[in-house]
Amino acid sequence: MLAPKARWTIGNADEGLVQTLESELQVDPLVARLLVLRDIRTVADAEQFMHGGVDYFLDPYLLDDMLPAVERIRTAIKNNELIRVYGDYDADGVSSTSLMAHLLQGMGARFDTYIPHRIREGYGLNRAAMDQAKDQGVDLLITVDTGISAVQEIAYCQELGLDVIVTDHHEPPEVLPQALAVINPKKPGCPYPYKHLAGVGVAFKLAHALLGRLPEELLEFAALGTVADLMPLTGENRLIVKMGLQRMQDSAYAGFRALIGVSGIDNKEVTASHIGFSLAPRINASGRLEAADIAVKLLTTTDEQEAEHIAYELDMLNKERQLIVEDMVKEAFVLAEEQQAKGLDKVIVVAKEQWNVGVVGIVASKIVEKFYRPTLVLSIDPQTGIAKGSARSIAGFDLHKALTACEEWLDHYGGHQAAAGMSLNKRHLDAFTQKLNHLAAEVLTEQDYIPLLKVDAVCSLPDVPIASIEQLEKLAPFGMGNPAPKFMFTDLQLGEIRTMGKEKQHLKLALSQAKEEVSCSVEAVGFGKGSLASLIAPAAKVDVLGELSINEWNGVRKPQIVMQDLRITHMQLFDWRGAGQLSAKLSALESNLASVNGRNTFTPAIVLFDEADAAGFTSTAFQLGDAVPYWIVQDTEQLRPGNDAAKRLSFDHMQDIILYTIPRRVASLQSVLHQARGMMRCYPVFTELGPDSGSTLPSRDMFKMLYGTLQKEGSLNVQDVRLMSSFSKRSGLSPAMIQFILSVFEELDFVERQGTFVKLQASPAKKDLTASRLYQHRLHRQEVESIIMYSSAKELEQWMAEQIKKENHLLEEII
């Protein structure tokens, strides 16, 4: 078995509606199903989803306060007043600021832009910046992607005589700022029907109203900020991104061309994923490590050389940012584990002095990815004691609501359900952490802490030829709110298992499946899943959940699955019989289990099938000491812990079990399999350690002959090589056979050892040979060997599976 990392849920589609859309739209059945699963109920809605354009944009004047904002800006332009665009330092803020700059320049306005420094000024409006604006002759301040919570700062602007127009998309506070106009679709009472615009989306609607037409030339900026800020790609956002991407393929802006070039993207194939994983991180790097003004300069310059120079600089900053994040993530993981060890395991809050405040959001996302817990990462200023940070959440936990419940400790906070920012004094961190964990315990269940992956359709490989995969592009662009379709494939045959990447961190599987005499094969790639390779047996049947794509190489196009998760639902057998370097194998297994499951995973369990194996085991090449738990099969067939590590664990919970020595009886192996209720993976070694190695059972005449020799000679020096060799030739018994017979005699108290000599007891009690455990083991040896030594890996796995199945049936009958 191999457990998936997430819960898989399969979407249910109205089959009648699927058939209707398939027929009316003339699309692939898979596309029709996906449309229904995206809650598209009519042919008209489906047409808009797939082919919608300019005519489907909403009236910008539906946004509350749009009219007074437009009138004030037009007045400022007419009177040649100085307008300042005040933005945020993330990609949404940079995109919004750049969009407004192009808009105002095109309208002939006198304007400039301002973005606060993340570290020196922090998020949002601040008094020093307002004083500076007044001193520099600014008449009108337009905020973009910020301002909705700046109640005091905007009141201060009024004292200074500055008019302010707020455009924002963040959650409004209970008390709104008293600005000349506040444009936010989430504002209470705002009739605008689509509530999920990014900050740049709101700025785009302001441009729409000011120009009296849809500003298609500004769509690239709106697309960049919408994807970067993880807004749902539904409704107007979908239109913005789809049309923006089309224009980005042959951008009219030097900055976009340079940014696409330095990111290594073919500008004819720019996708939403390229924005999210290549363009946006480089834009964000400026605000995280330096000042975001440089990114605004990139997106507003008309000079090709300047654009290329800035794009290169941003690329270098992004690489520096990646190194900083890598170091911080390592430290944050340790702190997160320490917090969980204290019992605060619902919400992770980690803080440290002088962490780079510009990347705390990225680090929070990495922690969520690993631990799947709502996470806050804060950097503490050692001078002021103020901790500033970012938070990322999971489904079911509203960060903004939680922070509101903790506002007694917070100096500032803002954001939405999935992401937020905050600052507070470090002396409140413990109480703050306790409160957040308490809030999470009230609303989240244990199931909520397991990631959820939604499957759009269960398919077989022959169901998805290249033509069907190509039609999936009708549903693009993919992102938040419109995720790339995910498919589940079950019972796939494995052809090859290998790892890729410099550190072998990626997994590649060759998979095949037959359906109605049609056989198909496909490659599946799992990024970051390389550690799973050693936990997948070559004979395993695999279930895969992933996205479909087309891999093109040297003109050959093949289907490919990008794996999101995988599972194996049956017990797996890894054949270690006759393999060398067992110590290295065990070490690698432990390392991979830790990598896949974290520090708290169960370690492998080792089984020895006889008490006599223990002495030989502790002196083997494993050199384990007391680190790895091992159990010993007793005469009753029950297991007893062999060391302290085993005493701390329960055998029936162990997932990885190494059958190290040879069972003396088939019943012993069956008993272990029955007791291994939690076993997912089995590693048979079946090495010889005990004194009864060998398989041939001596006849009773052989026992009589050796007994008669001892009676005649009186004793036998078993260490005399020449004597033993001579006796072996005369008797026809091998040295190993002689030693075995003597061990049986010794067990039955027929003989005693005195130094190197073996001699008969004076008056031994009469006992049958079958009373000897060694004799019994050898008696059953051939049956054992036929199962464990002379079988193929597949045959052995099938035999073990049958034993486990029998036990399960027996338990069901008892229950």
Side-chain angles (χ1 to χ4, degrees), residues 583-751:
S583 182
K585 281 182 173 291
L586 179 62
S587 177
L589 175 61
E590 286 191 290
S591 176
N592 285 320
L593 287 173
S595 176
V596 171
N597 299 322
R599 289 187 178 184
N600 295 326
T601 184
F602 288 132
T603 186
I606 293 175
V607 174
L608 309 178
F609 279 94
D610 195 81
E611 295 283 356
D613 293 338
F617 172 71
T618 54
S619 63
T620 62
F622 272 114
Q623 298 177 343
L624 296 172
D626 205 41
V628 176
Y630 68 90
W631 281 259
I632 301 170
V633 180
Q634 303 175 90
D635 290 340
T636 60
E637 310 295 5
Q638 294 301 305
L639 290 156
R640 75 164 181 85
N643 61 358
D644 289 339
K647 291 176 183 176
R648 292 190 292 267
L649 298 168
S650 175
F651 183 79
D652 61 2
H653 289 165
M654 305 306 288
Q655 296 178 357
D656 293 80
I657 295 178
I658 299 169
L659 304 176
Y660 190 60
T661 60
I662 290 182
R664 277 27 174 207
R665 299 192 309 141
V666 173
S668 298
L669 178 55
Q670 291 172 322
S671 178
V672 169
L673 295 176
H674 296 164
Q675 293 176 69
R677 296 182 183 89
M679 181 171 64
M680 293 179 146
R681 293 165 291 272
C682 182
Y683 308 81
V685 178
F686 296 142
T687 192
E688 298 272 16
L689 285 182
D692 57 331
S693 61
S695 60
T696 304
L697 181 66
S699 67
R700 287 182 176 267
D701 286 340
M702 293 176 179
F703 280 94
K704 289 178 181 178
M705 179 178 63
L706 184 52
Y707 193 85
T709 300
L710 284 171
Q711 284 180 318
K712 181 180 178 181
E713 299 292 337
S715 64
L716 195 63
N717 186 352
V718 294
Q719 296 296 320
D720 188 326
V721 177
R722 285 195 305 170
L723 176 64
M724 294 300 292
S725 177
S726 174
F727 178 66
S728 175
K729 289 178 181 179
R730 293 197 318 269
S731 64
L733 298 176
S734 68
M737 190 74 78
I738 295 170
Q739 291 292 349
F740 174 73
I741 293 173
L742 291 174
S743 295
V744 171
F745 286 165
E746 186 177 9
E747 184 184 356
L748 296 173
D749 291 327
F750 292 172
V751 300

Side-chain angles (χ1 to χ4, degrees), residues 27 174 179 192 237-238 292 311 334 378 394 460 510 572 661 696 741:
V27 295
E174 290 186 9
Y192 199 74
N237 284 347
R238 176 175 170 79
V334 173
L378 302 106
I394 63 175
S460 64
Q572 295 187 84
T661 60
T696 304
I741 293 173

Side-chain angles (χ1 to χ4, degrees), residues 37-101:
L37 289 171
R38 278 150 180 73
D39 202 30
I40 294 171
R41 317 302 297 175
T42 68
V43 172
D45 287 344
E47 286 282 5
Q48 178 181 345
F49 188 86
M50 292 192 294
H51 309 299
V54 174
D55 295 338
Y56 290 97
F57 279 90
L58 297 168
D59 182 352
Y61 285 101
L62 291 174
L63 281 160
D64 191 46
D65 273 358
M66 181 62 80
L67 182 59
V70 168
E71 290 176 345
R72 180 66 184 89
I73 293 171
R74 285 176 175 166
T75 298
I77 294 172
K78 179 180 177 181
N79 296 334
N80 202 33
E81 296 177 65
L82 179 59
I83 302 171
R84 175 160 292 173
V85 180
Y86 193 108
D88 186 23
Y89 38 65
D90 68 1
D92 188 11
V94 167
S95 302
S96 305
T97 304
S98 302
L99 183 150
M100 289 299 297

